Amino acid sequence: MQKIVAVTACPTGIAHTYMAAEKLTQAAQSLGLHIKVETQGAMGIEHKLNAQEIANADIVIIASDIKINELHRFDSSHIFFLNIEDILIDAIKTLKTCLPK
Amino acid sequence: MQKHIFFSIQKPALEMREISALKRSAGFFNSLIQIHNISRGGFANCKYALKVMSLNWRVGDLCQIKIEGLDAELSCMVFTDLINDYFQMLYTNHKRVAHEVTLSYQHSLESPFPFYFHQQKVDPETQYKKNKILLSLARMITSTHYKPLLSALLEREKISATGISSKIAMPHIISDLVDKPWIIVLPSDKNIYWSSHFSNIHLIIAIILPRNASTQVFKSIIKLSCMLLNPAFSQLLLQSNDPLEIETLLIYCFKY
């Protein structure tokens, strides 16, 4: 099973961060993929990804309109940067763009 | 005629006596009476016990009784009573009993935090333009200090537009300019272009939170945001023009 880790963030941190996280989780489930989503919002960093989870991930996604905290954790990963609005419109389609063809 | 009742279910399943009460009462009327699980999807005609039984339920789910037909008014009255007996009643739009009866239910649905709630149609004077609507919104909150509030809202929109689904926009900021959370709901008769992919906006839900808002407030607003991902729930907000109904649905999100 492909392992995905993702970080979501938005400027205010009360809506888009969590909506995108929810959408990504639903989409991954329906595609039969394993996902863990870290949220960086008004509640601070939740479900924080550790070094091992990042190293073991097949796909790393950052969905944010702003610069995320602790980006350096992903220095040795290939990152897919996704647009939050695209995820809200069609999460499955957007997630598929990150999967190997 | 169309009537409806909202309630929440407090158990993981409907009991036999509840299903048969729904069936028995639905049998008295010609109207089509359906039970919908808004949170989880799925609906059934109340007359068909097996179908009702086969729906999925979880504690806290938002449910709706939807009544359509010539005797909707009368059946809504009967079902309002029934729902109140068996479930956690949230809202009924029955004309006569609605106000006096549901008012007392509102107490049981006290919001977990105090907030200013305001609902009104988008003023045609805004010409249904995004920036003018945001201006009118800021002025609803304060008639004197609306300028910094407006620029904060515009600043947020500049980073990314706040359209969140095909018909709803949710401009939201955290600001020092308010002392209590504000939730302003503006339905619109006309399409609003929100400079996002979601172009035909019909409902604006604006949220302005004070900077020192409690974790409880943030958590509640996050719950509301996630609930808005549910198209069936969004549809309820889009269809309603009763402020009490909208406020009830918002508070439901905060609580469950």
Side-chain angles (χ1 to χ4, degrees), chain B residues 225-248:
Chain B
S225 309
C226 290
M227 195 70 177
L228 286 168
L229 293 171
N230 175 344
F233 181 77
S234 300
Q235 201 54 37
L236 297 179
L237 292 177
L238 282 160
Q239 279 166 353
S240 172
N241 44 27
D242 178 2
L244 180 67
E245 177 173 9
I246 294 178
E247 195 180 359
T248 305

Short mmCIF file of all heavy atoms in Angstrom, two decimals, chain B residues 225-248:
data_model
loop_
_atom_site.label_atom_id
_atom_site.label_comp_id
_atom_site.label_asym_id
_atom_site.label_seq_id
_atom_site.Cartn_x
_atom_site.Cartn_y
_atom_site.Cartn_z
N SER B 225 -16.60 24.07 9.71
CA SER B 225 -15.92 24.03 8.41
C SER B 225 -16.00 22.63 7.81
O SER B 225 -16.32 22.46 6.64
CB SER B 225 -14.45 24.40 8.53
OG SER B 225 -14.31 25.60 9.22
N CYS B 226 -15.72 21.63 8.64
CA CYS B 226 -15.70 20.25 8.13
C CYS B 226 -17.11 19.79 7.77
O CYS B 226 -17.30 19.05 6.81
CB CYS B 226 -15.04 19.32 9.12
SG CYS B 226 -13.27 19.62 9.21
N MET B 227 -18.10 20.25 8.54
CA MET B 227 -19.48 19.88 8.24
C MET B 227 -19.91 20.48 6.89
O MET B 227 -20.72 19.91 6.17
CB MET B 227 -20.39 20.38 9.37
CG MET B 227 -21.77 19.79 9.38
SD MET B 227 -21.80 18.05 9.85
CE MET B 227 -23.58 17.77 9.83
N LEU B 228 -19.33 21.65 6.54
CA LEU B 228 -19.68 22.30 5.28
C LEU B 228 -19.16 21.51 4.07
O LEU B 228 -19.52 21.80 2.94
CB LEU B 228 -19.15 23.74 5.25
CG LEU B 228 -19.93 24.72 6.13
CD1 LEU B 228 -19.18 26.02 6.28
CD2 LEU B 228 -21.31 24.97 5.57
N LEU B 229 -18.30 20.52 4.31
CA LEU B 229 -17.85 19.65 3.23
C LEU B 229 -18.96 18.68 2.82
O LEU B 229 -18.91 18.08 1.77
CB LEU B 229 -16.62 18.85 3.65
CG LEU B 229 -15.33 19.63 3.91
CD1 LEU B 229 -14.29 18.72 4.53
CD2 LEU B 229 -14.80 20.22 2.61
N ASN B 230 -19.94 18.53 3.71
CA ASN B 230 -21.06 17.63 3.43
C ASN B 230 -22.10 18.38 2.57
O ASN B 230 -22.73 19.32 3.03
CB ASN B 230 -21.66 17.21 4.78
CG ASN B 230 -22.89 16.36 4.64
OD1 ASN B 230 -23.51 16.29 3.59
ND2 ASN B 230 -23.28 15.71 5.73
N PRO B 231 -22.28 17.94 1.31
CA PRO B 231 -23.18 18.68 0.42
C PRO B 231 -24.62 18.72 0.94
O PRO B 231 -25.30 19.73 0.76
CB PRO B 231 -23.13 17.89 -0.89
CG PRO B 231 -21.94 16.99 -0.79
CD PRO B 231 -21.67 16.78 0.67
N ALA B 232 -25.06 17.67 1.61
CA ALA B 232 -26.44 17.65 2.12
C ALA B 232 -26.63 18.72 3.19
O ALA B 232 -27.65 19.40 3.23
CB ALA B 232 -26.77 16.28 2.69
N PHE B 233 -25.59 18.91 4.02
CA PHE B 233 -25.68 19.93 5.06
C PHE B 233 -25.64 21.33 4.44
O PHE B 233 -26.44 22.20 4.79
CB PHE B 233 -24.55 19.76 6.07
CG PHE B 233 -24.60 20.78 7.18
CD1 PHE B 233 -25.50 20.65 8.20
CD2 PHE B 233 -23.75 21.88 7.16
CE1 PHE B 233 -25.57 21.60 9.21
CE2 PHE B 233 -23.81 22.83 8.17
CZ PHE B 233 -24.73 22.69 9.19
N SER B 234 -24.73 21.53 3.49
CA SER B 234 -24.64 22.84 2.81
C SER B 234 -25.98 23.19 2.18
O SER B 234 -26.41 24.34 2.21
CB SER B 234 -23.58 22.80 1.72
OG SER B 234 -22.33 22.51 2.28
N GLN B 235 -26.62 22.18 1.60
CA GLN B 235 -27.90 22.40 0.93
C GLN B 235 -28.94 22.93 1.92
O GLN B 235 -29.73 23.81 1.57
CB GLN B 235 -28.35 21.07 0.30
CG GLN B 235 -29.36 21.22 -0.81
CD GLN B 235 -28.89 22.16 -1.92
OE1 GLN B 235 -27.71 22.19 -2.26
NE2 GLN B 235 -29.81 22.96 -2.43
N LEU B 236 -28.93 22.43 3.14
CA LEU B 236 -29.88 22.90 4.15
C LEU B 236 -29.70 24.38 4.42
O LEU B 236 -30.66 25.13 4.52
CB LEU B 236 -29.70 22.14 5.47
CG LEU B 236 -29.94 20.63 5.46
CD1 LEU B 236 -29.69 20.07 6.85
CD2 LEU B 236 -31.35 20.32 5.01
N LEU B 237 -28.42 24.81 4.52
CA LEU B 237 -28.16 26.23 4.78
C LEU B 237 -28.58 27.07 3.59
O LEU B 237 -29.10 28.17 3.72
CB LEU B 237 -26.66 26.44 5.07
CG LEU B 237 -26.13 25.85 6.37
CD1 LEU B 237 -24.63 26.08 6.47
CD2 LEU B 237 -26.82 26.46 7.58
N LEU B 238 -28.33 26.54 2.37
CA LEU B 238 -28.66 27.29 1.16
C LEU B 238 -30.17 27.46 1.01
O LEU B 238 -30.64 28.47 0.50
CB LEU B 238 -28.10 26.57 -0.07
CG LEU B 238 -26.61 26.76 -0.31
CD1 LEU B 238 -26.06 25.68 -1.23
CD2 LEU B 238 -26.34 28.14 -0.91
N GLN B 239 -30.93 26.46 1.46
CA GLN B 239 -32.38 26.50 1.24
C GLN B 239 -33.11 27.33 2.29
O GLN B 239 -34.21 27.77 2.06
CB GLN B 239 -32.94 25.08 1.27
CG GLN B 239 -32.74 24.37 -0.05
CD GLN B 239 -32.98 22.88 0.08
OE1 GLN B 239 -33.16 22.36 1.17
NE2 GLN B 239 -32.97 22.20 -1.05
N SER B 240 -32.47 27.53 3.45
CA SER B 240 -33.20 28.15 4.54
C SER B 240 -33.20 29.68 4.44
O SER B 240 -32.23 30.30 4.05
CB SER B 240 -32.56 27.76 5.87
OG SER B 240 -33.17 28.51 6.90
N ASN B 241 -34.35 30.27 4.81
CA ASN B 241 -34.33 31.72 4.95
C ASN B 241 -34.81 32.15 6.33
O ASN B 241 -35.14 33.29 6.56
CB ASN B 241 -35.14 32.41 3.84
CG ASN B 241 -36.45 31.71 3.62
OD1 ASN B 241 -36.98 31.08 4.54
ND2 ASN B 241 -36.99 31.79 2.41
N ASP B 242 -34.81 31.18 7.24
CA ASP B 242 -35.19 31.48 8.61
C ASP B 242 -33.92 31.58 9.48
O ASP B 242 -33.19 30.60 9.62
CB ASP B 242 -36.11 30.35 9.12
CG ASP B 242 -36.50 30.57 10.58
OD1 ASP B 242 -36.11 31.60 11.17
OD2 ASP B 242 -37.20 29.69 11.14
N PRO B 243 -33.65 32.77 10.02
CA PRO B 243 -32.43 32.94 10.82
C PRO B 243 -32.33 31.94 11.97
O PRO B 243 -31.25 31.43 12.26
CB PRO B 243 -32.56 34.36 11.39
CG PRO B 243 -33.59 35.03 10.57
CD PRO B 243 -34.45 33.99 9.96
N LEU B 244 -33.47 31.63 12.60
CA LEU B 244 -33.46 30.69 13.73
C LEU B 244 -33.00 29.31 13.28
O LEU B 244 -32.23 28.63 13.95
CB LEU B 244 -34.86 30.60 14.35
CG LEU B 244 -34.98 29.64 15.54
CD1 LEU B 244 -34.20 30.16 16.73
CD2 LEU B 244 -36.44 29.42 15.91
N GLU B 245 -33.44 28.93 12.09
CA GLU B 245 -33.07 27.62 11.54
C GLU B 245 -31.56 27.57 11.27
O GLU B 245 -30.87 26.62 11.63
CB GLU B 245 -33.84 27.37 10.24
CG GLU B 245 -33.46 26.08 9.57
CD GLU B 245 -34.36 25.76 8.38
OE1 GLU B 245 -35.17 26.62 7.98
OE2 GLU B 245 -34.25 24.64 7.85
N ILE B 246 -31.04 28.64 10.66
CA ILE B 246 -29.62 28.68 10.34
C ILE B 246 -28.79 28.67 11.62
O ILE B 246 -27.83 27.92 11.74
CB ILE B 246 -29.29 29.91 9.46
CG1 ILE B 246 -29.97 29.74 8.10
CG2 ILE B 246 -27.78 30.09 9.31
CD1 ILE B 246 -29.78 30.89 7.16
N GLU B 247 -29.21 29.47 12.58
CA GLU B 247 -28.47 29.52 13.84
C GLU B 247 -28.49 28.15 14.53
O GLU B 247 -27.47 27.69 15.06
CB GLU B 247 -29.07 30.59 14.76
CG GLU B 247 -28.15 30.95 15.90
CD GLU B 247 -28.73 32.02 16.83
OE1 GLU B 247 -29.84 32.51 16.56
OE2 GLU B 247 -28.05 32.36 17.81
N THR B 248 -29.63 27.47 14.47
CA THR B 248 -29.73 26.14 15.08
C THR B 248 -28.75 25.17 14.41
O THR B 248 -28.07 24.40 15.09
CB THR B 248 -31.17 25.59 14.93
OG1 THR B 248 -32.07 26.54 15.48
CG2 THR B 248 -31.33 24.27 15.65
#
